[in-house]
Amino acid sequence: MKLPQHGWLKVQLHSHSTRSDGRLEPQKVVDFYANAGFSVVSITDHNKITQVLHPHVLTPPGLEVAVRENGDEFHIVVIGAEELPPMAVRSSVSHVFEWCRDNDLYAFLAHPYWSMLNAGDLLNLKSCYGVEVYNHGCEVEISRGYSGHHWDYVLSKGLMLQGLAVDDSHTYTVDSLGGWLEVDAESLDPEAVIKALKSGHFYASSGVKVESFEWENGFVRIKTCGANVVKLLSGNTKGAYLSFNLLRKLANTEGLPLDVELWEEGFRIKSREVTVEGKLRANLFVEVVMRGQIPARGYARLELIEGLCSAWLNPVKV
Ligand SMILES: [Zn+2]
Ligand SMILES: [Zn+2]
């Protein structure tokens, strides 16, 4: 797996307009994101398809469908739809995702934590592409925007869902510009963008930037504009955690089964199984490389954190 090949496009896949419960007219929603540097915006009103045109921004039509199942309400975001899923399909979550696959659409599960879904219920979503790991509107509304547990649970059971970050903005004030995708598409046309989404050629962000990412057998390299925490999340007791504070403590601790070196512009941690090294700028990681026996089982994903912002990379099968 290697990102990026073509440069990043800023993409918003979950937004509401006056066509449902949002405060801005559809055209104003797209203008809002165009002014903020976005290349792709989908308006995803509740049970309504909205398409507007813009000279510089790609606007694939979308919608958000709500399905009640076993006492829970699942919200599904569908991108590229030109018609509503038939009523008969909307009676089951799996049927909606299957209908989307059959119609070549890109669909993902919205805000499972906000909906208080049981992580195990997501295991039925075989035709789903991904899950919102971060929904900014849900976070600023009731502090339930982060669904990392739901995502890791299904990944640990072998269902390789992608992780998305979105605004789900309604007011375009505090609930906007806090979650989006950085997509590595071949060009700015609808087919190339949908192809990149389906292939997982993107990362999710709430403000941390990734420059490049490579993962091969026994080798991981990530370059970023700056993060003070790097997390490796994986299955079954595997994973790793690295922060600048931890690194400083490790470098000052005697008797560890690790060889730790830290200098102003870099660091190296060596154990019997693995070497982690990288570059630092103003106490932030700008490059981290792991070589050897990567502590991962089943799947692995990387998460970078700087202050209140994160970047979430899509999982790799290991
Ligand atoms: Zn929703
Ligand atoms: Zn929504």
Side-chain angles (χ1 to χ4, degrees):
M1 169 138 197
K2 202 170 178 188
L3 290 172
Q5 314 277 333
H6 310 96
W8 300 111
L9 298 174
K10 218 166 172 183
V11 174
Q12 183 55 252
L13 293 186
H14 192 161
S15 67
H16 294 276
S17 77
T18 46
R19 300 253 302 141
S20 65
D21 53 356
R23 262 201 224 157
L24 291 185
E25 298 281 339
Q27 194 70 49
K28 293 263 189 302
V29 171
V30 181
D31 290 344
F32 175 86
Y33 283 111
N35 288 336
F38 280 73
S39 301
V40 182
V41 178
S42 189
I43 296 176
T44 53
D45 278 312
H46 300 284
N47 300 309
K48 254 189 206 140
I49 295 170
T50 306
Q51 178 149 41
V52 286
L53 295 174
H54 190 279
H56 311 298
V57 176
L58 204 64
T59 52
L63 80 158
E64 183 173 15
V65 187
V67 179
R68 279 203 80 78
E69 202 171 273
N70 303 327
D72 286 318
E73 191 166 288
F74 292 72
H75 287 194
I76 300 159
V77 177
V78 183
I79 305 297
E82 281 169 6
E83 55 179 274
L84 292 174
M87 274 317 274
V89 164
R90 279 189 265 164
S91 60
S92 143
V93 180
S94 317
H95 288 170
V96 172
F97 281 114
E98 281 158 19
W99 181 85
C100 291
R101 279 260 168 158
D102 292 345
N103 287 281
D104 275 338
L105 306 173
Y106 180 75
F108 56 91
L109 182 72
H111 49 64
Y113 186 26
W114 184 89
S115 304
M116 288 305 266
L117 300 180
N118 183 329
D121 290 344
L122 275 59
L123 292 174
N124 300 325
L125 311 183
K126 307 281 186 230
S127 301
C128 168
Y129 277 98
V131 59
E132 286 177 357
V133 59
Y134 183 69
N135 179 308
H136 188 59
C138 293
E139 184 68 10
V140 298
E141 186 192 26
I142 58 165
S143 303
R144 274 200 210 132
Y146 182 60
S147 298
H149 164 73
H150 290 81
W151 191 23
D152 279 310
Y153 182 80
V154 292
L155 291 173
S156 72
K157 300 291 179 193
L159 184 62
M160 293 296 281
L161 294 187
Q162 303 166 344
L164 295 98
V166 299
D167 270 347
D168 195 3
S169 185
H170 289 74
T171 70
Y172 299 90
T173 56
V174 293
D175 60 356
S176 59
L177 306 180
W180 63 89
L181 302 183
E182 297 278 349
V183 177
D184 178 25
E186 277 174 33
S187 59
L188 184 55
D189 68 69
E191 276 179 24
V193 170
I194 296 286
K195 185 178 157 200
L197 291 170
K198 288 180 175 175
S199 313
H201 293 165
F202 64 85
Y203 70 91
S205 181
S206 60
V208 173
K209 281 193 169 175
V210 173
E211 285 174 357
S212 65
F213 170 58
E214 291 165 71
W215 186 297
E216 289 158 28
N217 227 354
F219 179 83
V220 183
R221 185 206 306 269
I222 185 149
K223 291 186 184 177
T224 161
C225 295
N228 61 18
V229 178
V230 178
K231 293 182 176 184
L232 169 67
L233 295 114
S234 186
N236 208 352
T237 72
K238 297 290 185 183
Y241 177 92
L242 184 63
S243 73
F244 182 75
N245 276 348
L246 178 71
L247 189 57
R248 205 161 41 187
K249 280 183 192 162
L250 288 175
N252 291 320
T253 306
E254 304 276 323
L256 293 171
L258 298 169
D259 183 12
V260 183
E261 288 172 80
L262 173 63
W263 60 99
E264 202 175 317
E265 288 169 350
F267 70 96
R268 185 178 300 110
I269 307 170
K270 264 185 169 172
S271 74
R272 261 203 335 215
E273 297 84 20
V274 66
T275 300
V276 186
E277 57 191 333
K279 294 178 186 162
L280 293 160
R281 198 187 301 139
N283 298 347
L284 296 175
F285 300 107
V286 291
E287 180 175 335
V288 175
V289 179
M290 290 178 92
R291 280 189 190 85
Q293 217 174 306
I294 312 291
R297 184 175 293 146
Y299 80 97
R301 66 175 185 92
L302 290 175
E303 190 168 320
L304 309 178
I305 302 170
E306 165 53 14
L308 294 174
C309 296
S310 298
W312 298 271
L313 284 101
N314 274 320
V316 175
K317 227 175 169 44
V318 292

